[in-house]
Amino acid sequence: MKQKSAREMQKRLHELIPAGGHTYSKGDDQFPEIAPGLMVKAKGAYCWDADGNKFLDYGMGLRAVAVGHANDEINEAVCKQIALGTNYTRPSLIELELAETIVDLIPSVEMVKFAKNGSDVTSGAIRLARAYTGKKFIAVCAEHPFYSFNDWFIGSTACNSGIPDEISSLTLKFNYNNLQSVEDLFAKYSNQIAAFILEPAKAVEPAMFGDKNFLQKLKELCDKNGSLLILDEMISGFRFDLKGAQHIYNVDPHLTTFGKATANGFSFAFLAGKKEIMELGGIYHDKPRVFLLSGTHGAESTGLIAAIKNIEIFKRDNVVKHHWDYGKKFKDGINAIAKQKGIDKNFAITGFDCSPVVEARNTEGAIDLSFLTLFSQEMIRGGVLIPWIAFSKSHSDEELKITLEAAENALTVYKVALENGVQKSLIGNAVKPVFRKFN
Ligand SMILES: Cc1ncc(COP(=O)(O)O)c(C=O)c1O
């Protein structure tokens, strides 16, 4: 029987799976029309689609892979663990080993609880904060796009269908680097806010207020008002620093959440923080019990052993420094091409070197998803899959060279599109925001 083409199989996916996949960020509406539809393999910094096309990868499994796809050392450790069984009837020795490793690694952490998804650990943090403070409102940072697929957060987005207003109305918004927006919430919802949750840093540094930065001031305000500070390090953790961006900015959150790059693409995330709070999820205290995280697969061992090995490699090979160094060359290289073409006002790679962002602007200088899609489309033509920018230790000089060659061609097309109109060069639709009311 003739094998179906990747396009045909991609269509079939939508007949069988809503959205044609299990993560909206991987959806058709997040990629240019010419993007590979179905992947079959990944190794190091590269991935292959079902038609056999090879791409240099900057998606890295939604940023989860930070050493490299199918890393031999990590895979070997995982295979050894598989031979010992993957799910036991009582807690396992590697749970203890990994808990010790994380508590030793991150200064703010006194206790830790494992899960398989970031969404679950942020939701665990919210439940814990509500239980500990006895308050019901949660404040999320408006500039940071995603914290969880659960109701407490999705209810606050435009895509809130299926979530009662009673739940959505409990999630409030504040602005990054804006202390006034925090003070305003404390004034309006006096003594009712359980927690403030945010990524420590995304595209800009925390601003300084006197000798303290925004995060330190936010922590002070939380302490003063009886709220908890939750730092969500799902993206920044293991990329800004192995101890998280909280280490760089010298802030001590009450609770913190990590996932993604902690286990090189295996399923692992953790909620961690102060003992006094975390312990409410325990079974040896006399306070009301908090049903914290409790999953059949919470301590499934492949993710745990992958995290142990991943942390070992991060420490041994200084992977974080590699990300910062590679990122600087990546940013400088692409920005130099944009400048040389005279389009640096319309196109730039900005943000932190370890976790940059693409800023694609139109002729008016406004951020424009059509131009962003065009850049992504043309990079794909050059063999580079770059829906966002995530590095791994496997991205090296050779990969930088491939990237810059692809960018040279992509930005030539970009310049033409600025002159002649983007629709003439764009194949299919522009990418769309994930959080929209209607398709
Ligand atoms: C900042 C942040 N928090 C939480 C999550 C949720 O993590 P997961 O996709 O593992 O559920 C994400 C995922 O993109 C994230 O970027």
Side-chain angles (χ1 to χ4, degrees):
M1 195 179 81
K2 185 178 161 291
Q3 200 199 340
K4 286 189 174 132
S5 74
R7 281 275 170 233
E8 286 171 308
M9 290 191 277
Q10 195 185 350
K11 194 162 163 272
R12 183 75 179 129
L13 267 180
H14 286 270
E15 289 165 5
L16 302 179
I17 305 166
H22 298 282
T23 319
Y24 285 108
S25 309
K26 295 187 184 181
D28 295 351
D29 55 357
Q30 300 305 302
F31 285 80
E33 176 83 21
I34 68 162
L38 271 175
M39 311 311 293
V40 291
K41 186 171 93 168
K43 182 77 186 165
Y46 298 90
C47 56
W48 285 258
D49 73 5
D51 287 330
N53 300 304
K54 178 183 177 184
F55 300 91
L56 172 58
D57 191 11
Y58 283 103
M60 299 311 285
L62 302 172
R63 304 175 196 269
V65 181
V67 173
H69 288 296
N71 174 266
D72 289 341
E73 272 186 280
I74 295 173
N75 280 2
E76 204 180 300
V78 168
C79 288
K80 272 196 193 143
Q81 181 59 43
I82 288 174
L84 297 174
T86 54
N87 210 333
Y88 306 134
T89 308
R90 299 220 61 204
S92 62
L93 196 56
I94 60 167
E95 275 170 74
L96 178 60
E97 184 184 343
L98 184 52
E100 296 268 24
T101 302
I102 292 168
V103 171
D104 285 350
L105 181 68
I106 305 170
S108 72
V109 171
E110 293 170 356
M111 289 183 95
V112 61
K113 185 100 173 160
F114 301 156
K116 289 298 180 196
N117 290 297
S119 292
D120 291 333
V121 291
T122 50
S123 299
I126 297 306
R127 181 177 299 159
L128 207 45
R130 283 176 165 151
Y132 181 78
T133 60
K135 301 173 184 180
K136 65 182 181 186
F137 287 98
I138 297 297
V140 302
C141 179
E143 284 78 16
H144 300 164
F146 190 58
Y147 299 93
S148 174
F149 51 54
N150 289 316
D151 288 3
W152 68 267
F153 174 68
I154 299 300
S156 73
T157 73
C159 192
N160 59 0
S161 194
I163 301 169
D165 288 345
E166 288 85 342
I167 291 177
S168 305
S169 62
L170 296 178
T171 299
L172 314 169
K173 301 231 165 121
F174 68 100
N175 297 106
Y176 194 72
N177 278 342
N178 184 335
L179 283 179
Q180 191 59 52
S181 71
V182 175
E183 307 245 29
D184 288 349
L185 284 184
F186 277 129
K188 187 162 176 203
Y189 299 90
S190 171
N191 212 19
Q192 296 177 75
I193 304 177
F196 280 69
I197 182 168
L198 74 164
E199 297 184 58
K202 190 148 194 81
V204 293
E205 297 269 1
M208 293 304 290
F209 296 86
D211 61 350
K212 301 232 167 84
N213 66 42
F214 174 67
L215 301 170
Q216 294 163 334
K217 292 295 269 187
L218 180 59
K219 169 82 188 303
E220 273 180 13
L221 284 172
C222 283
D223 280 337
K224 192 173 132 202
N225 290 280
S227 296
L228 299 189
L229 174 65
I230 304 169
L231 288 185
D232 181 358
E233 299 253 23
M234 220 64 68
I235 292 179
S236 52
F238 284 44
R239 289 199 180 270
F240 281 63
D241 192 281
L242 190 52
K243 300 171 200 279
Q246 57 190 267
H247 180 66
I248 296 181
Y249 298 118
N250 195 21
V251 57
D252 185 32
H254 299 101
L255 294 173
T256 188
T257 54
F258 282 64
K260 292 206 188 266
T262 51
N264 202 44
F266 285 87
S267 181
F268 178 67
F270 65 85
L271 159 65
K274 302 301 174 203
K275 194 177 178 85
E276 191 186 336
I277 307 163
M278 293 286 292
E279 224 170 22
L280 290 180
I283 54 172
Y284 291 115
H285 62 75
D286 51 13
K287 308 208 175 71
R289 295 188 58 203
V290 176
F291 201 82
L292 194 46
L293 295 160
S294 176
T296 300
H297 298 293
E300 182 274 336
S301 66
T302 58
L304 271 55
I305 196 73
I308 290 172
K309 199 70 193 170
N310 190 50
I311 293 171
E312 198 183 303
I313 294 174
F314 260 77
K315 287 179 180 165
R316 185 193 68 202
D317 297 350
N318 205 346
V319 176
V320 167
K321 181 173 181 326
H322 170 86
H323 290 166
W324 282 92
D325 291 349
Y326 183 88
K328 172 146 182 45
K329 289 187 266 180
F330 173 100
K331 263 174 79 179
D332 288 352
I334 298 184
N335 286 338
I337 296 170
K339 193 167 175 51
Q340 178 255 327
K341 293 190 184 304
I343 58 166
D344 49 316
K345 290 210 162 45
N346 307 92
F347 183 90
I349 306 291
T350 61
F352 294 89
D353 291 352
C354 68
S355 185
V357 287
V358 178
E359 253 186 52
R361 296 178 184 275
N362 56 26
T363 39
E364 272 78 55
I367 295 286
D368 190 311
L369 290 180
S370 295
F371 276 92
L372 179 67
T373 312
L374 180 67
F375 174 70
S376 184
Q377 169 187 299
E378 294 306 311
M379 291 298 279
I380 288 169
R381 273 195 222 280
V384 180
L385 188 58
I386 187 163
W388 48 84
I389 306 168
F391 304 130
S392 78
K393 189 182 149 252
S394 305
H395 289 77
S396 198
D397 288 350
E398 173 63 19
E399 285 67 38
L400 188 64
K401 190 164 158 272
I402 294 169
T403 308
L404 296 184
E405 278 166 17
E408 173 72 39
N409 291 330
L411 293 183
T412 302
V413 177
Y414 198 102
K415 184 176 167 130
V416 172
L418 283 168
E419 286 155 9
N420 297 347
V422 66
Q423 293 310 332
K424 290 207 175 97
S425 311
L426 191 62
I427 301 166
N429 296 321
V431 300
K432 296 178 180 167
V434 172
F435 294 113
R436 57 191 196 275
K437 189 83 187 162
F438 296 101
N439 281 319

